[in-house]
Amino acid sequence: MTQQEPHRLEPAPEPSSQAGLDQEAEEVTLSVMAASRLFVAISARALASTDDSLTLPQLRALVVLNTCGPVKLAVMAATLGVNPSTALRMVERLESAGHMDRKTNPDNRREVVLRLTPVGRNLVERVLAHRRTEIRTLVQRLPADARAGLIPALRALTEAADEMAVDPFDEVRRIGGLIDDPLNPAPPVAPQGGRRRPKGGTV
């Protein structure tokens, strides 16, 4: 009768070092921030090649209008993260350059509504097209496997952001600048399942 060898327990895998995880997160953070600075630089070059009289904050204001449509001055200030007086000065410069115009909100004479002019919309479209072309050229320089690896990585980053990854202009909608065009509001919709009761009358 042979003596059985005692059962050997496999050593448990060593837990990942918290310091190592922190270091990895820091390296990823620095890489993402470097990429962010790169995209800002690309935007600046696209703007300079199209209209060197504008600043990036002014371009951002135009992009808000191009994406969201007419908005109130207070909403524009909130979206840009500036106070209303700073937003007003920016609007005045953009208006004098012919990129946007201001009108009084017919529903509230104390409110000013902003929207792009055709000149402003054309400018935004040219800048964004220039930026897209430069980013595409940059991406095409990458090896095929690096390009393929960017797709799941960037998607994972966006998904990890969760609520922060929502449409960046949702805040504009949330605080009431985009429910309708303030200068051309849509008529109210009757509730489903019945007709809307006319004002001052009966059905």
Side-chain angles (χ1 to χ4, degrees), residues 18-127:
Q18 185 61 45
L21 293 175
D22 290 345
Q23 177 63 28
E24 180 180 288
E26 181 65 14
E27 291 175 359
V28 172
T29 298
L30 293 175
S31 297
V32 171
M33 290 177 66
S36 176
R37 289 193 295 271
L38 169 63
F39 292 132
V40 170
I42 289 174
S43 296
R45 286 197 296 270
L47 180 58
S49 68
T50 307
D51 188 332
D52 59 6
S53 67
L54 260 64
T55 64
L56 282 177
Q58 290 170 346
L59 173 64
R60 188 181 173 213
L62 296 179
V63 170
V64 169
L65 293 180
N66 187 62
T67 304
C68 298
V71 298
K72 302 168 188 176
L73 177 62
V75 174
M76 173 68 76
T79 305
L80 298 178
V82 300
N83 59 52
S85 61
T86 299
L88 179 58
R89 288 194 297 271
M90 183 183 298
V91 165
E92 288 171 344
R93 287 193 290 270
L94 291 171
E95 185 180 33
S96 65
H99 298 310
M100 70 167 61
D101 60 24
R102 292 181 286 172
K103 290 192 179 349
T104 302
N105 186 351
D107 294 331
N108 185 343
R109 308 296 294 180
R110 294 176 298 176
E111 290 180 341
V112 174
V113 177
L114 315 169
R115 61 178 164 188
L116 277 183
T117 63
V119 172
R121 180 165 287 104
N122 179 263
L123 171 64
V124 171
E125 290 173 353
R126 286 186 290 130
V127 171

Side-chain angles (χ1 to χ4, degrees), residues 2 6-8 80 86 133 154 181:
T2 59
H7 179 68
R8 294 181 180 179
L80 298 178
T86 299
T133 298
L154 293 175
D181 178 343

Side-chain angles (χ1 to χ4, degrees), residues 116-180:
L116 277 183
T117 63
V119 172
R121 180 165 287 104
N122 179 263
L123 171 64
V124 171
E125 290 173 353
R126 286 186 290 130
V127 171
L128 296 184
H130 189 288
R131 185 178 67 175
R132 181 185 179 91
T133 298
E134 187 167 346
I135 292 174
R136 183 181 180 87
T137 300
L138 180 62
V139 170
Q140 287 175 332
R141 294 178 189 169
L142 296 173
D145 56 343
R147 288 201 305 268
L150 275 177
I151 297 172
L154 293 175
R155 284 179 177 167
L157 183 64
T158 302
E159 290 171 1
D162 199 16
E163 290 86 358
M164 290 187 296
V166 175
D167 180 352
F169 299 108
D170 264 5
E171 178 67 8
V172 179
R173 298 183 178 91
R174 187 186 69 77
I175 56 182
L178 288 181
I179 302 304
D180 288 309

